[in-house]
């Protein structure tokens, strides 16, 4: 069994520069099958209203939606986790992040050294290239989008 499940690219785009400054948005390859994800940003104002739109795309002549878009209220989420896709994303990043607490968020937010592991998948994915598009919305307008590209291949 040879499985490769790893990040392949990470692109952050800021829509509102008065809210956030990105200090780091990059991947670090540590071996052929392991790439660590680092994100670090400074929030210029405390945030008490955080909506996350999460969508997974699969590459096939460009990136096509693979699962429906999930829209969740992060401030509510930490009171009661309810969305299966978002619970998966949360489990992937929580041990590496300082955002694993209820609102408000302020100062430096980061995720450091996050890694993809086969055991995290709720069920097998078709082999392919994927994009996890996370758009962060505060007070009704988009602040940034974080595009995490990853691959999954399974040779049995
Ligand atoms: C950008 O963020 C600032 C600070 O939160 C806010 O006052 C402003 O309305 C936002 N701009 C847009 C276009 O949403
Ligand atoms: C990565 O590959 C090495 C050796 O090729 C293997 O020992 C290790 O278990 C692999 N790691 C993952 C996360 O698949
Ligand atoms: C985040 O970036 C700031 C500014 O560059 C730096 O001082 C801080 O040590 C970084 N934090 C982490 C956990 O990498
Ligand atoms: C995160 O930490 C918890 C508690 O230590 C552990 O049970 C879980 O397996 C860890 N998850 C990941 C993705 O490392
Ligand atoms: C991800 O979502 C943002 C905000 O909706 C959008 O601007 C961006 O183009 C999307 N990225 C991709 C690669 O589709």
């Amino acid at each position: 069994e040879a499985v490769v499940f790893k990040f392949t690219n990470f692109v952050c785009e800021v829509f509102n520069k008065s809210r956030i400054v990105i200090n780091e948005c990059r991947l670090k390859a540590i071996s052929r099958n392991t790439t660590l994800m680092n994100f670090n940003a400074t929030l210029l104002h405390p945030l008490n209203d955080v909506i996350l739109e999460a969508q997974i795309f699969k590459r096939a002549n460009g990136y096509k939606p693979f699962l429906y878009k999930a829209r969740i209220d992060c401030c509510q989420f930490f009171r009661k986790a309810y969305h299966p896709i978002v619970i998966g994303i949360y489990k992937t990043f929580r041990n590496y992040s300082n955002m694993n607490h209820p609102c408000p968020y302020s100062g430096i937010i980061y995720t450091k050294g996050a890694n993809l592991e086969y055991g995290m998948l709720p069920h097998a994915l078709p082999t392919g290239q994927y994009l996890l598009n996370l758009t962060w919305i505060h007070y009704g307008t988009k602040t940034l989008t974080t595009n995490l590209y990853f691959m999954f291949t399974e040779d049995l």
Side-chain angles (χ1 to χ4, degrees):
E1 183 189 25
V3 170
V4 178
F5 182 35
K6 67 171 186 181
F7 296 120
T8 54
N9 198 11
F10 185 27
V11 179
C12 299
E13 187 187 353
V14 172
F15 299 121
N16 189 332
K17 295 191 167 78
S18 357
R19 286 194 185 139
I20 194 164
V21 173
I22 306 281
N23 303 315
E24 185 176 18
C25 171
R26 78 176 151 206
L27 301 180
K28 188 174 168 192
I30 57 167
S31 74
R32 209 175 63 81
N33 59 8
T34 307
T35 307
L36 304 181
M37 180 271 225
N38 290 333
F39 174 80
N40 177 328
T42 306
L43 295 174
L44 302 176
H45 309 280
L47 296 173
N48 240 315
D49 180 355
V50 181
I51 302 288
L52 173 62
E53 283 182 356
Q55 188 162 27
I56 296 177
F57 296 83
K58 186 173 189 294
R59 195 165 88 180
N61 297 316
Y63 281 87
K64 301 285 157 51
F66 176 68
L67 292 173
Y68 61 94
K69 188 185 278 184
R71 183 183 167 93
I72 61 129
D73 181 330
C74 293
C75 301
Q76 285 286 340
F77 177 79
F78 285 105
R79 267 173 257 153
K80 189 176 188 311
Y82 56 92
H83 200 292
I85 293 175
V86 179
I87 290 170
I89 295 169
Y90 174 64
K91 283 185 176 166
T92 303
F93 296 108
R94 67 169 167 195
N95 293 0
Y96 304 100
S97 179
N98 72 342
M99 288 181 275
N100 53 3
H101 63 79
C103 294
Y105 301 96
S106 62
I108 286 177
I109 54 172
Y110 68 85
T111 297
K112 196 172 174 65
N115 180 23
L116 292 175
E117 282 165 33
Y118 184 54
M120 290 171 181
L121 283 176
H123 47 73
L125 281 176
T127 285
Q129 307 275 342
Y130 294 87
L131 161 62
L132 172 63
N133 184 319
L134 299 178
T135 302
W136 303 87
I137 298 167
H138 305 109
Y139 307 104
T141 58
K142 291 177 185 176
T143 300
L144 82 155
T145 181
T146 48
N147 292 296
L148 257 171
Y149 295 81
F150 62 96
M151 65 184 284
F152 181 80
T153 59
E154 193 169 24
D155 310 316
L156 294 174

